[in-house]
């Protein structure tokens, strides 16, 4: 078993793809981690913006959360329909492209690609941030920790989708389980106490209100809370990864994810109000996360509290995994339409789209390094992309049903139509609420990415036009090529190359660059070792051509000669024979000149379609 | 005029070498800078070790300097003889090699190579150190300043030997001139005052003696003072660079350099004693260089003082240039005997041995970076190498005269014999006095370098044995090669490659790796576009071979197939045709797979002498 096998797992045959398919229980950690983990920061993001309202602000978390839950329900029903309509994988890109045209598809694709990259960076740095707030001594190691987690996630994903699901299952279910238990206990206590339970560990009292409630502030709180919805698209995009029957497996997975998320969001909102938990300002002394205060209030700071906190840290850090599952699939779909390099479509040893995983890891790593592992400032950027993709996808589905018609079409149009309008409005709200804070960056990145994609497509198209061929092989006029062989002195390598030249052609020009040393010796050897035997055997006599070189250049005269011969022989192809010493050890590299390789490179660079390179290797035995 | 021409000067033709030759006036700065500049640190190095002796110690500088002057005179006469005996360049390497055998030659070579590298690093850092002690605000820029000077010296040397001489002429003569003037004035004043002149600016009073005079201390002072003699070998090694008549031009240059150096060393020693100037501890507050105190005492701190100080700084920093003139010549001589890569023997655009210049610059730059631009600790390392080379060179000359015999031989043997003994004793003295301080490093580096050189030579010899050829071309059995052409689908590139294959052979195997997609289409196209026309035309019909690939590998099956065919066809060479797309723009690189290049590399790596690579390039027009 090689080291690569050990690291990345045995290579899987193409027909083993079935064994890599997943059911709902593995699908939830793989495609749901992103959505579910957002329960840990969505409500907090909204609540933080309500701090200026003091105690009165806490009450608003319930209507804001309910709005998000309603939106989530709408999106859920839309994506259920999408899964059925696109069992081959119905990401926003595919749906928008097929129903609204290529431009809409690319817009969705660009938005999603940016969104996923941000999700990876922000998720990992949020997890590490939470860890650091518990163990402050790790503060200086923030960036190495982030990069370490990124490396682990990348590595696990390179080992294949199924293994990633298995590995991330435990923390995901621990997270969901402990949150559900805490919410259950809290709700029972609250109901038993008539809506005013007594906290086991009392949360800090909210500050005094500095402003009154106003629509703009509430809108901003809503926009921040919407980050809880990113990642919902993943299941619809990854349908093909599921086990047969794919549609119902994928739907079941989506249903479970959304149902859990709704319970979590609603429960957290209810308990926040019941226990009167206000957010504390992040980055200031005495900061505590909302979930930490909530757990302490409901169950006290016991073992359960610490286990739950640990699961939250892990799930936040691992939420990046959803992007790793989906980004490569998205890139592959785009590459299949020639908008991205074809390499994104190649499946690696474990049947995952390796290039996409690497590109995502590098981009996210770059962001993490750029921001030193603290990516709070990136958060405003990433709801825009997600909601833009939602809207395009829903609008695409409306067009899909209108085109398809049939009995259930009207109902479906209404479901997707509501989804499109609701998410469309949310895009506008998020964009305007977060524009100054950073959403404008996304608005610049999307068109830049679009330009690149259009350019890539045009290039591929041009290459296709140039190389396509629907005509048969032309078998007339098969004159052997004129062979040019550069030579310094007479030796075994030259002898072998010359023999090869005689095998393929009868017109051979051996060129020697005169740098003042070995020319006369070569002339004599040539007469004795080449001219005489060829003459006697009656085969074609190779011609020796001596090129002057006053400036001690070796390669330029040869290249010039070849180009000149090409111009003067319109009927024959030119084959340049390049003998080359192949070293057995890398440290021999410095001992021999690289003239062979450089000559090959020069001829490729300055040559044309009529010049062919023949490389005769000579392997050193010693 | 291209940017390269502007930077490095017009390319010189080989027959312009004469114009690059130099006379004595340019030879002094080129080959003498190292030796002359050591007048600025040799006496100081000795005097510093005498500090513990207090006022009494100053007196010892005169006998120590006289010993060095005597040694210098002996070495001078020896090298005069060497120049005459070896007008082709008689460095220690050549002389020791030809008279004492290859091992002695290599020992001298290794010692000198290490010495030159150290001289560059130490010279530059000493110059910058002196500058920084005048302008302390430059302290943090020490390393950038050192690297900047290294870059300038490298650049000037790449422009050719003659230009380097012209550029460094002014500071050299300014330095020599101002020192001679100051010494002249000082000596006149001292004689007029009966040996006890009054200093214009009094030097600080030496401290109280902490120890009494002892032989070991004096020996160490002498060993330190000997650093003044490094660089003397340069002229003898570079004879070929001089103008006709080379021997007398080189000898005149050597005479002038040694004469000036002797006057400087003797004059400085006399004035140190006459004015009672003791060294101050370097690196401590109140430190002043000995020459600075001397100039201030003799001529006061006027304009002349400052101009002289400036010229000292420059000459120290530029003393590295001698190593740049000599190191490449030394490496070239060694490379000609196959002990170093042959690349050292190639003359660049300005007729200098470019590789040697680059290697020296990189090594010295590495040392400067490693020591942060402060290389005091390297000083003990570098007299050993120089004196070891002197000794071997002198001993070689003794053997030379003994072999030659003739009328003047006895006289010459005596001159060189005294030189050999004197420098041999000095090696032992320097080595034992400086062993703990760092000379042991040199003692480790020399054998390491020897091992590398012997290894290089053995490798070249093996390659020579393997590739040499004194037999004529074998023109029997010239069967055309079996051509293998890997193909994915039918297109223009394949069509063109196939045509080329038909031109050189009638046995063609087209291999296609079945990755499950385009195989069936290719089969049909093959029938229509290849089989039918070749059948009709009656030419050889290429065979289509479909290779399975369950693990989606493209290249491995092709390479395995080629190796397999090679084994089963002992009578034919195998020619693998690799079609390749040549991109016009570097940014197209990512858009196309590199299978062509990787296949070529794999075949070179895993192939053997019977497998030839044919590269058919396809240039994109768009």
């Amino acid at each position: 078993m090689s080291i690569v096998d050990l690291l990345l797992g045995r290579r899987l045959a193409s027909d083993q793809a079935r064994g890599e398919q997943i059911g709902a229980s593995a699908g939830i950690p793989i495609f749901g981690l992103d959505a579910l983990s957002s329960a840990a920061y969505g409500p907090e993001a909204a609540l933080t913006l309500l701090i200026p309202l003091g105690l009165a602000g806490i009450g608003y978390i319930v209507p804001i959360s309910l709005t998000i839950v309603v939106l989530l329900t709408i999106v859920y029903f839309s994506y259920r329909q999408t899964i059925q309509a696109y069992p081959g994988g119905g990401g926003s890109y595919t749906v928008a492209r097929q129903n609204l045209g290529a431009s809409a598809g690319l817009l969705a694709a660009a938005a999603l690609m940016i969104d996923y990259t941000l999700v990876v960076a922000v998720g990992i740095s949020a997890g590490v941030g939470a860890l650091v707030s518990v163990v402050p001594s790790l503060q200086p190691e923030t960036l190495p920790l982030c990069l370490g987690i990124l490396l682990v996630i990348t590595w696990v994903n390179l080992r294949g989708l199924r293994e990633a699901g298995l590995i991330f299952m435990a923390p995901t279910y621990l997270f969901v389980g402990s949150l559900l238990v805490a919410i259950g206990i809290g709700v029972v206590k609250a109901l038993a106490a008539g809506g005013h339970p007594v906290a086991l560990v009392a949360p800090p009292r909210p500050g005094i209100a500095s402003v009154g409630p106003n629509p703009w502030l509430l809108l901003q709180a809503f926009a921040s809370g919407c980050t809880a919805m990113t990642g919902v698209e993943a299941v619809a995009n990854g349908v093909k990864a599921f086990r047969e029957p794919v549609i119902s497996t994928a739907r079941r997975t989506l249903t479970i994810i959304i149902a859990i998320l709704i319970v979590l969001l609603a429960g957290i909102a209810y308990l926040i109000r019941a226990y009167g938990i206000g957010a504390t300002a992040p980055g200031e002394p005495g900061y505590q996360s909302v979930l930490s205060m909530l757990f302490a209030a409901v169950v006290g700071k016991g073992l359960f509290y610490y286990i739950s906190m640990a699961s939250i840290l892990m799930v936040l850090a691992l939420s990046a995994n959803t992007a790793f599952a989906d980004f490569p699939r998205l890139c592959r779909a785009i590459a299949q339409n020639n908008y991205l390099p074809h390499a994104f479509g190649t499946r690696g040893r474990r049947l995952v789209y390796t290039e996409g995983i690497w590109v995502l890891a590098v981009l996210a790593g770059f962001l993490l390094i750029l921001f030193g592992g603290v990516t709070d400032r990136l958060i405003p950027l990433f709801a825009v992309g997600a909601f833009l993709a939602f809207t395009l996808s829903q609008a695409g589905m409306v067009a899909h049903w209108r085109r398809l018609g049939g009995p259930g079409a009207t109902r479906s149009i209404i479901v997707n139509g509501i989804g499109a309008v609701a998410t469309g409005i949310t895009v506008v709200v998020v964009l305007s609420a977060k524009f100054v804070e950073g959403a404008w960056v996304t608005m610049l990145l999307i068109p830049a990415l679009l330009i690149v994609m259009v350019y890539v497509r045009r290039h591929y198209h041009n290459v296709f036009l140039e190389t396509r061929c629907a005509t048969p092989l032309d078998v007339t006029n098969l004159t052997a090529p004129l062979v040019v062989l550069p030579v310094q002195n007479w030796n075994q390598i030259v002898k072998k190359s010359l023999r090869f030249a005689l095998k393929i052609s009868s017109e051979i020009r051996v060129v020697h660059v005169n740098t003042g040393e070995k020319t006369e010796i070569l002339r004599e050897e040539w007469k004795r070792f080449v001219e005489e035997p060829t003459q006697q055997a009656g085969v074609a006599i190779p011609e020796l051509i001596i090129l002057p070189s006053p400036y001690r250049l070796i390669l330029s005269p040869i290249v010039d000669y070849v180009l000149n011969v090409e111009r003067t022989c319109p009927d024959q192809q030119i084959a340049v024979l390049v003998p080359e010493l192949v070293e057995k050890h890398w440290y021999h590299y410095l001992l021999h000149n690289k003239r062979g390789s450089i000559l090959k490179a020069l001829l490729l660079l300055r040559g044309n379609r009529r010049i062919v390179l023949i490389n005769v290797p000579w392997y050193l035995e010693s």
Side-chain angles (χ1 to χ4, degrees), chain A:
Chain A
M1 202 177 190
S2 76
I3 182 94
V4 179
D5 279 352
L6 204 69
L7 269 176
L8 298 180
R10 264 184 318 101
R11 194 170 259 288
L12 293 175
S14 299
D15 53 18
Q16 285 176 288
R18 243 205 146 109
E20 282 292 291
Q21 287 175 339
I22 54 172
S25 58
I28 292 168
I30 292 175
F31 292 108
L33 250 180
D34 183 7
L36 292 174
S37 70
S38 56
Y41 57 81
E44 167 141 12
L47 212 53
T48 304
L49 280 166
L50 297 174
I51 293 178
L53 300 181
L55 190 61
I58 295 174
Y60 288 105
I61 193 68
V62 174
I64 287 174
S65 289
L66 284 182
T67 317
I68 292 172
V69 165
V70 170
L71 207 53
L72 200 53
T73 314
I74 294 170
V75 170
Y76 163 67
F77 281 106
S78 312
Y79 272 121
R80 260 183 79 89
Q81 300 197 145
T82 309
I83 290 172
Q84 188 162 30
Y86 290 92
S92 306
Y93 169 66
T94 317
V95 175
R97 179 179 166 74
Q98 295 200 357
N99 298 297
L100 303 175
S103 309
L106 288 184
L107 188 57
L112 270 179
M113 284 171 72
I114 292 168
D115 184 43
Y116 280 135
T117 310
L118 291 170
V119 159
V120 173
V122 171
I124 292 177
S125 96
V128 172
L131 176 63
V132 165
S133 81
V134 175
V135 193
S137 64
L138 289 175
Q139 182 78 47
E141 311 298 330
T142 302
L143 183 58
L145 280 170
C146 287
L147 294 178
I149 292 174
L150 178 64
L151 209 67
V152 170
I153 296 179
T154 307
W155 169 61
V156 168
N157 276 281
L158 285 174
R159 285 187 63 101
L161 200 63
R162 219 173 119 257
E163 283 202 22
L166 293 175
I167 291 172
F168 295 147
M169 217 180 254
T172 310
Y173 288 123
L174 187 63
F175 167 79
V176 170
S178 59
L179 261 181
L180 287 179
V181 167
I183 288 170
I185 296 172
V187 169
V188 168
K189 280 191 183 175
L191 291 179
H196 294 289
V198 180
L200 289 181
V201 178
R205 283 194 60 79
I208 297 155
S210 56
V211 294
N214 65 72
W216 180 239
L217 192 70
L218 296 180
L219 216 58
Q220 285 201 304
F222 167 72
S224 284
C226 279
T227 51
M229 279 180 64
T230 57
V232 168
E233 124 126 17
V235 175
N237 205 15
V239 181
K240 267 188 108 170
F242 287 97
R243 200 178 288 152
E244 289 285 350
V246 283
I247 294 176
S248 74
T249 314
R251 276 183 152 185
R252 199 163 63 244
T253 311
L254 181 66
T255 308
I256 298 171
I257 293 171
I258 301 291
I260 296 174
L261 185 55
I262 286 176
V263 171
L264 295 183
L265 290 177
I268 291 171
Y270 174 75
L271 292 178
I272 286 174
R273 194 178 57 181
Y275 283 92
I277 295 167
T280 49
E284 282 176 27
Y287 166 76
Q288 245 193 308
S289 75
V290 169
L291 280 192
S292 163
M293 290 186 277
L294 188 70
F295 269 80
V298 173
V299 296
K301 286 202 171 183
L303 182 65
F304 183 68
Y305 168 86
Y306 284 105
I307 290 175
S308 310
M309 288 300 112
S311 78
I312 292 173
L313 299 191
M314 278 171 80
V315 161
L316 275 175
L318 301 179
S319 65
N321 191 60
T322 301
F324 271 95
D326 214 21
F327 182 88
R329 287 166 187 278
L330 175 66
C331 289
R332 182 231 179 189
I334 305 171
Q336 280 183 328
N337 296 123
N338 297 328
Y339 285 108
L340 279 179
H342 288 157
F344 282 110
T346 313
R347 286 204 285 182
R349 54 191 295 131
R350 299 290 285 182
L351 294 164
V352 284
Y353 301 105
T354 319
E355 295 291 326
I357 294 177
W358 282 120
V359 168
L360 182 60
V362 168
L363 289 177
F366 175 74
L367 281 180
L368 283 172
I369 292 170
L370 194 70
F371 287 84
V374 183
T375 55
D376 292 3
R377 276 186 288 163
L378 294 177
I379 293 181
L381 275 70
F382 82 97
V384 182
F387 276 93
L388 189 54
F390 287 162
T391 310
L392 289 164
S393 159
Q394 309 302 332
M397 287 307 291
V398 172
H400 172 82
W401 300 124
R402 279 184 61 179
R403 210 183 54 229
L404 217 69
T410 318
R411 202 187 121 265
S412 301
I413 290 177
I414 292 171
V415 170
N416 284 128
I418 293 174
V421 172
T423 52
I425 292 172
T426 315
V427 173
V428 176
V429 169
V430 173
L431 196 57
S432 51
K434 300 285 175 186
F435 191 80
V436 181
E437 282 177 67
W440 61 271
V441 177
T442 315
M443 290 295 99
L444 285 182
L445 281 178
I446 289 177
L449 207 50
L450 286 178
I451 290 170
V452 169
M453 292 196 285
V454 169
Y455 175 82
V456 168
R457 157 95 162 191
R458 209 178 56 202
H459 175 77
Y460 277 129
H461 190 64
N462 286 339
V463 172
F464 168 74
L465 289 183
E466 254 187 66
T467 60
R468 71 171 166 185
C469 178
T471 52
L473 186 66
D474 174 16
V475 287
T476 60
N477 203 11
L478 291 172
T479 326
L482 189 154
V483 178
V484 176
L485 169 64
V487 152
Q488 268 193 297
N489 57 338
W490 181 248
N491 59 38
Q492 295 286 358
I493 312 176
V494 168
K495 191 168 144 184
K496 182 194 164 201
S497 304
L498 200 52
R499 247 183 83 79
F500 185 82
L502 281 168
K503 285 178 184 177
I504 63 168
S505 176
S506 57
E507 199 163 344
I508 299 160
R509 308 234 179 122
V510 174
V511 293
H512 169 85
V513 176
N514 182 356
T515 51
E517 286 161 29
K518 300 162 182 166
T519 308
E520 277 317 305
I521 304 171
L522 180 66
R523 264 191 223 274
E524 279 170 41
E525 290 174 325
W526 186 258
K527 219 179 199 82
R528 194 146 54 101
F529 294 146
V530 180
E531 281 183 1
E532 283 172 20
T534 45
Q535 210 154 22
Q536 278 167 16
V539 302
I541 305 173
E543 190 181 342
L544 177 65
I545 289 156
I546 311 279
L547 301 174
S549 177
Y551 293 96
R552 298 168 309 288
L553 297 169
I554 304 285
L555 299 177
S556 286
I558 298 173
V559 175
D560 292 341
Y561 177 79
V562 170
L563 294 178
N564 191 40
V565 167
E566 191 273 329
R567 271 191 297 274
T568 52
C569 294
D571 299 330
Q572 256 175 313
Q573 271 193 292
I574 316 297
V576 184
L577 240 165
V578 183
E580 193 172 22
L581 211 64
V582 181
E583 293 106 1
K584 258 197 187 153
H585 304 288
W586 62 265
Y587 47 82
H588 287 160
Y589 183 86
L590 289 172
L591 296 180
H592 299 285
N593 62 57
K594 299 291 124 205
R595 285 204 191 116
S597 309
I598 300 170
L599 181 61
K600 286 191 287 179
L602 278 179
L603 281 171
L604 272 187
L605 201 73
R606 293 182 54 192
N608 59 46
R609 290 187 190 174
R610 294 187 55 234
I611 298 173
V612 167
L613 281 173
I614 300 182
N615 201 188
V616 181
W618 178 274
Y619 294 85
L620 287 177
E621 269 160 6
S622 57

